[in-house]
Amino acid sequence: MPEKTNPKSNLPETLTWKSPSHLAHKRSALWYIFFGLGSLGLLAFALYDRHIITIITFVLIILMIFLIISQPQREIVSKITKNGIHIGDTEYPYKIIKRFWIVYNPPQVKTLNFETTTYINNRITVQLGSQDPLLVKRVLSQYLLEDLDQQESTADILARKLKI
């Protein structure tokens, strides 16, 4: 069924696409060996340091990385409507979104990013999959300001390079 278009702008009123929940990295046995050795090195340092906070911090970091890399990739349905952005079962109304930006450097990076007014988890990144980034930009520009100066975050670059 074709999507209805806005007669004023000739853009779809609703834009829907499916994409992976996150990028799935291919990790070799060597990656896991380095991860294990790095983890053991951090734990050895923490035990040598004998500060309980250091030990707890390093254990939590190692566990968090392990949990993150263990997450299975899922297919997420994202939708832009006249009321807001829907990602899976979560809706972000436009009134809580400050701005958006698109990072498009295929094949590695194809994301829609936006900043909300919430204190925790205020930057949301959505994979674009095969969705046309120019169409996403045109539709969202009707409702939100685009931040043309934003780039991929250092944390995202580091996570991608480390295959996390």
Side-chain angles (χ1 to χ4, degrees):
M1 181 168 127
E3 295 179 5
K4 293 179 3 183
T5 59
N6 183 337
K8 292 181 183 176
S9 64
N10 203 23
L11 293 172
E13 287 184 0
T14 301
L15 189 60
T16 305
W17 70 92
K18 292 180 181 178
S19 62
S21 56
H22 60 278
L23 296 177
H25 297 285
K26 299 224 186 275
R27 297 177 191 93
S28 66
L30 191 59
W31 186 93
Y32 287 100
I33 290 170
F34 279 122
F35 177 71
L37 290 174
S39 298
L40 288 175
L42 285 175
L43 291 176
F45 171 77
L47 291 172
Y48 172 78
D49 193 39
R50 293 188 182 167
H51 284 93
I52 191 70
I53 298 298
T54 306
I55 295 169
I56 292 170
T57 301
F58 285 168
V59 167
L60 288 175
I61 289 171
I62 292 165
L63 286 174
M64 289 302 296
I65 290 173
F66 184 74
L67 286 173
I68 289 169
I69 66 172
S70 300
Q71 289 292 315
Q73 190 179 45
R74 301 179 330 269
E75 187 172 73
I76 302 289
V77 176
S78 300
K79 189 185 303 185
I80 299 172
T81 68
K82 63 181 179 178
N83 298 321
I85 301 173
H86 303 257
I87 302 161
D89 296 331
T90 307
E91 179 181 355
Y92 300 92
Y94 291 126
K95 66 182 176 185
I96 70 160
I97 301 175
K98 293 181 181 179
R99 59 200 170 123
F100 81 96
W101 62 97
I102 293 175
V103 179
Y104 194 74
N105 186 14
Q108 296 93 0
V109 184
K110 299 186 282 186
T111 61
L112 162 64
N113 307 271
F114 55 95
E115 183 178 0
T116 68
T117 57
T118 60
Y119 291 110
I120 298 176
N121 198 22
N122 67 339
R123 288 190 176 217
I124 311 297
T125 299
V126 183
Q127 299 296 322
L128 286 174
S130 60
Q131 182 57 264
D132 179 6
L134 294 176
L135 182 57
V136 171
K137 177 181 177 173
R138 288 177 54 214
V139 171
L140 273 180
S141 292
Q142 299 175 105
Y143 309 107
L144 297 170
L145 290 175
E146 180 181 12
D147 188 340
L148 298 172
D149 295 328
Q150 280 291 340
Q151 301 290 323
E152 185 178 19
S153 73
T154 304
D156 287 340
I157 293 169
L158 188 60
R160 184 170 34 86
K161 296 218 183 264
L162 293 176
K163 298 184 178 181
I164 296 177

